Amino acid sequence: MHPVELTFYKLVSKEIELTKFENWVYSETALEQTLSSDDYLEIISINYKTPSGLYEAQKVLSKYFSMGKYYEWSIRNVLCKIIEKPNDVHKYIEQCYDLYCAGFGFMDNLGLGYGLGLTCSDDFNGKVDDFYPQIIEEVKRVILWLDSGKIVITGHSGEYQGVEYHDNRNAKEKEPTGYKIQK
Protein backbone atom coordinates (compact mmCIF):
# COMPACT_ATOMS: atom_id res chain seq x y z
CA MET A 1 0.00 0.00 0.00
CA HIS A 2 1.27 3.44 -0.94
CA PRO A 3 2.29 5.52 2.15
CA VAL A 4 0.12 8.45 1.00
CA GLU A 5 -2.86 6.11 0.68
CA LEU A 6 -2.25 4.70 4.17
CA THR A 7 -2.10 8.19 5.67
CA PHE A 8 -5.36 9.08 3.90
CA TYR A 9 -7.02 5.98 5.39
CA LYS A 10 -5.73 6.89 8.83
CA LEU A 11 -7.14 10.39 8.39
CA VAL A 12 -10.57 9.10 7.38
CA SER A 13 -10.64 6.64 10.30
CA LYS A 14 -9.40 9.38 12.66
CA GLU A 15 -6.31 7.37 13.62
CA ILE A 16 -4.25 10.48 12.93
CA GLU A 17 -5.00 13.89 14.41
CA LEU A 18 -5.70 16.69 11.99
CA THR A 19 -2.74 18.73 13.30
CA LYS A 20 -0.38 15.81 12.67
CA PHE A 21 -1.92 15.34 9.24
CA GLU A 22 -1.37 19.03 8.50
CA ASN A 23 2.32 18.72 9.43
CA TRP A 24 2.57 15.61 7.25
CA VAL A 25 1.01 17.49 4.29
CA TYR A 26 3.71 20.16 4.46
CA SER A 27 6.59 17.69 4.81
CA GLU A 28 5.63 14.68 2.64
CA THR A 29 7.32 14.97 -0.75
CA ALA A 30 5.43 11.96 -2.18
CA LEU A 31 2.18 13.88 -1.79
CA GLU A 32 3.20 16.45 -4.39
CA GLN A 33 4.10 13.62 -6.78
CA THR A 34 0.82 11.80 -6.15
CA LEU A 35 -1.61 14.70 -6.60
CA SER A 36 -2.19 16.96 -9.55
CA SER A 37 -0.65 20.41 -9.16
CA ASP A 38 -4.10 21.97 -8.59
CA ASP A 39 -5.04 19.42 -5.94
CA TYR A 40 -1.65 19.71 -4.25
CA LEU A 41 -2.09 23.47 -4.06
CA GLU A 42 -5.58 22.96 -2.65
CA ILE A 43 -4.44 20.44 0.01
CA ILE A 44 -1.64 22.70 1.26
CA SER A 45 -4.00 25.71 1.26
CA ILE A 46 -6.64 24.15 3.54
CA ASN A 47 -7.10 25.79 6.93
CA TYR A 48 -6.83 22.69 9.12
CA LYS A 49 -7.79 24.69 12.22
CA THR A 50 -11.41 25.02 11.04
CA PRO A 51 -14.07 22.33 11.57
CA SER A 52 -14.31 21.85 7.80
CA GLY A 53 -10.58 21.08 7.44
CA LEU A 54 -11.06 17.32 7.68
CA TYR A 55 -13.92 17.35 5.16
CA GLU A 56 -11.96 19.49 2.71
CA ALA A 57 -8.90 17.22 2.91
CA GLN A 58 -11.03 14.11 2.42
CA LYS A 59 -12.75 15.73 -0.56
CA VAL A 60 -9.42 16.36 -2.31
CA LEU A 61 -7.82 13.01 -1.47
CA SER A 62 -10.88 10.87 -2.19
CA LYS A 63 -10.33 11.55 -5.90
CA TYR A 64 -7.14 9.50 -5.65
CA PHE A 65 -8.07 6.68 -3.31
CA SER A 66 -10.94 4.21 -3.38
CA MET A 67 -13.36 4.40 -0.48
CA GLY A 68 -14.08 0.72 -1.12
CA LYS A 69 -10.43 -0.05 -0.43
CA TYR A 70 -10.62 2.18 2.65
CA TYR A 71 -13.57 0.23 4.08
CA GLU A 72 -11.85 -3.06 3.32
CA TRP A 73 -8.66 -1.82 5.01
CA SER A 74 -10.67 -0.71 8.04
CA ILE A 75 -12.52 -4.03 8.33
CA ARG A 76 -9.28 -5.98 7.97
CA ASN A 77 -7.74 -3.91 10.78
CA VAL A 78 -10.64 -4.81 13.09
CA LEU A 79 -10.38 -8.49 12.16
CA CYS A 80 -6.62 -8.57 12.73
CA LYS A 81 -7.07 -7.04 16.18
CA ILE A 82 -9.54 -9.79 17.08
CA ILE A 83 -6.96 -12.40 16.06
CA GLU A 84 -4.19 -10.60 17.99
CA LYS A 85 -6.50 -10.37 21.05
CA PRO A 86 -5.12 -7.25 22.76
CA ASN A 87 -6.37 -6.36 26.24
CA ASP A 88 -9.10 -4.15 24.74
CA VAL A 89 -10.21 -6.75 22.14
CA HIS A 90 -13.81 -6.30 23.27
CA LYS A 91 -13.99 -2.95 21.47
CA TYR A 92 -12.99 -4.59 18.16
CA ILE A 93 -15.56 -7.34 18.60
CA GLU A 94 -18.18 -4.66 19.32
CA GLN A 95 -17.11 -2.87 16.12
CA CYS A 96 -18.22 -5.97 14.20
CA TYR A 97 -21.76 -5.23 15.36
CA ASP A 98 -21.37 -1.57 14.35
CA LEU A 99 -20.12 -2.66 10.91
CA TYR A 100 -23.07 -5.01 10.52
CA CYS A 101 -25.47 -2.19 11.46
CA ALA A 102 -23.71 0.15 9.01
CA GLY A 103 -24.78 -2.12 6.16
CA PHE A 104 -22.04 -4.74 5.94
CA GLY A 105 -24.42 -7.70 6.08
CA PHE A 106 -21.63 -10.23 5.58
CA MET A 107 -20.47 -9.31 9.10
CA ASP A 108 -23.65 -10.86 10.55
CA ASN A 109 -22.00 -13.84 12.24
CA LEU A 110 -19.40 -11.68 13.95
CA GLY A 111 -21.71 -8.72 14.58
CA LEU A 112 -24.79 -10.53 15.81
CA GLY A 113 -23.15 -13.68 17.07
CA TYR A 114 -20.43 -11.98 19.10
CA GLY A 115 -20.49 -8.17 18.98
CA LEU A 116 -24.10 -7.70 20.02
CA GLY A 117 -23.55 -9.85 23.10
CA LEU A 118 -20.75 -7.57 24.24
CA THR A 119 -22.70 -4.36 23.75
CA CYS A 120 -25.17 -5.59 26.37
CA SER A 121 -22.59 -6.89 28.86
CA ASP A 122 -20.65 -5.32 31.71
CA ASP A 123 -18.23 -8.25 32.01
CA PHE A 124 -16.22 -7.94 28.79
CA ASN A 125 -13.27 -10.08 29.78
CA GLY A 126 -15.24 -13.09 31.01
CA LYS A 127 -17.44 -13.10 27.95
CA VAL A 128 -14.60 -12.48 25.47
CA ASP A 129 -12.65 -15.45 26.76
CA ASP A 130 -15.69 -17.65 26.03
CA PHE A 131 -15.60 -16.52 22.38
CA TYR A 132 -12.15 -17.93 21.72
CA PRO A 133 -11.15 -19.91 19.70
CA GLN A 134 -14.50 -20.02 17.78
CA ILE A 135 -14.45 -16.33 16.89
CA ILE A 136 -11.12 -16.81 15.12
CA GLU A 137 -12.80 -19.18 12.64
CA GLU A 138 -15.44 -16.54 11.84
CA VAL A 139 -12.76 -13.88 11.40
CA LYS A 140 -10.81 -16.14 9.03
CA ARG A 141 -13.97 -16.76 6.98
CA VAL A 142 -14.50 -13.03 6.44
CA ILE A 143 -10.84 -12.51 5.56
CA LEU A 144 -11.09 -15.39 3.07
CA TRP A 145 -14.17 -13.79 1.46
CA LEU A 146 -12.28 -10.51 1.09
CA ASP A 147 -9.14 -12.24 -0.23
CA SER A 148 -11.02 -14.38 -2.74
CA GLY A 149 -13.28 -11.61 -4.06
CA LYS A 150 -16.44 -13.24 -2.70
CA ILE A 151 -17.01 -9.91 -0.94
CA VAL A 152 -16.03 -6.81 -2.93
CA ILE A 153 -16.66 -3.49 -1.23
CA THR A 154 -17.41 -0.84 -3.85
CA GLY A 155 -17.28 2.05 -1.41
CA HIS A 156 -20.23 3.72 -3.07
CA SER A 157 -22.62 5.00 -0.45
CA GLY A 158 -26.05 3.50 -0.88
CA GLU A 159 -27.37 6.46 1.15
CA TYR A 160 -29.76 4.81 3.59
CA GLN A 161 -28.49 1.27 3.00
CA GLY A 162 -24.91 2.06 4.00
CA VAL A 163 -21.84 1.27 1.93
CA GLU A 164 -22.49 -0.98 -1.03
CA TYR A 165 -20.62 -4.19 -1.74
CA HIS A 166 -20.91 -7.14 -4.09
CA ASP A 167 -21.69 -10.40 -2.33
CA ASN A 168 -20.50 -13.35 -4.43
CA ARG A 169 -20.83 -15.97 -1.67
CA ASN A 170 -22.90 -19.08 -2.23
CA ALA A 171 -25.99 -19.89 -0.15
CA LYS A 172 -24.03 -22.15 2.23
CA GLU A 173 -21.49 -19.39 2.97
CA LYS A 174 -24.31 -16.97 3.75
CA GLU A 175 -25.86 -19.20 6.41
CA PRO A 176 -25.57 -17.85 9.95
CA THR A 177 -23.19 -19.70 12.22
CA GLY A 178 -22.76 -17.47 15.29
CA TYR A 179 -26.47 -16.95 15.91
CA LYS A 180 -29.77 -18.54 14.96
CA ILE A 181 -32.60 -16.89 13.04
CA GLN A 182 -35.89 -17.11 14.94
CA LYS A 183 -38.75 -18.52 12.86
Side-chain angles (χ1 to χ4, degrees):
M1 178 178 297
H2 193 279
V4 174
E5 184 178 25
L6 180 60
T7 303
F8 171 61
Y9 293 165
K10 287 182 177 183
L11 174 70
V12 173
S13 65
K14 297 181 176 100
E15 288 183 31
I16 185 173
E17 294 177 22
L18 202 51
T19 54
K20 288 184 180 181
F21 178 77
E22 179 181 19
N23 292 332
W24 175 85
V25 163
Y26 301 136
S27 64
E28 181 55 54
T29 56
L31 186 61
E32 188 173 6
Q33 297 164 355
T34 303
L35 306 180
S36 71
S37 56
D38 288 343
D39 286 338
Y40 180 71
L41 183 60
E42 188 173 345
I43 201 89
I44 63 171
S45 300
I46 292 173
N47 182 353
Y48 291 98
K49 310 263 185 287
T50 64
S52 65
L54 175 62
Y55 169 76
E56 291 176 39
Q58 287 178 342
K59 186 175 155 187
V60 172
L61 294 175
S62 65
K63 297 179 211 174
Y64 296 89
F65 306 109
S66 161
M67 287 308 291
K69 281 182 65 179
Y70 161 73
Y71 287 114
E72 181 178 332
W73 171 83
S74 180
I75 290 169
R76 285 179 184 274
N77 279 348
V78 168
L79 299 175
C80 287
K81 289 292 185 181
I82 293 171
I83 291 172
E84 292 169 11
K85 198 179 177 189
N87 291 335
D88 60 349
V89 70
H90 63 87
K91 74 180 185 182
Y92 300 103
I93 296 171
E94 287 177 351
Q95 283 181 11
C96 291
Y97 177 67
D98 295 338
L99 288 165
Y100 171 76
C101 291
F104 295 105
F106 63 91
M107 295 289 291
D108 60 345
N109 291 327
L110 289 167
L112 297 175
Y114 297 98
L116 180 60
L118 285 184
T119 61
C120 304
S121 175
D122 292 330
D123 180 23
F124 297 126
N125 293 330
K127 204 159 207 173
V128 166
D129 289 339
D130 292 342
F131 292 164
Y132 284 84
Q134 300 87 345
I135 194 171
I136 298 293
E137 293 307 312
E138 290 296 333
V139 166
K140 287 180 179 178
R141 283 170 32 116
V142 174
I143 291 171
L144 179 64
W145 296 334
L146 293 168
D147 288 347
S148 67
K150 292 200 174 197
I151 296 292
V152 179
I153 303 169
T154 64
H156 178 266
S157 174
E159 296 300 320
Y160 301 109
Q161 294 85 24
V163 178
E164 293 179 350
Y165 62 93
H166 298 293
D167 190 341
N168 302 312
R169 297 175 297 160
N170 62 42
K172 178 79 172 146
E173 291 169 319
K174 292 179 182 180
E175 288 180 9
T177 58
Y179 67 98
K180 300 293 181 215
I181 297 173
Q182 299 296 320
K183 294 186 181 188

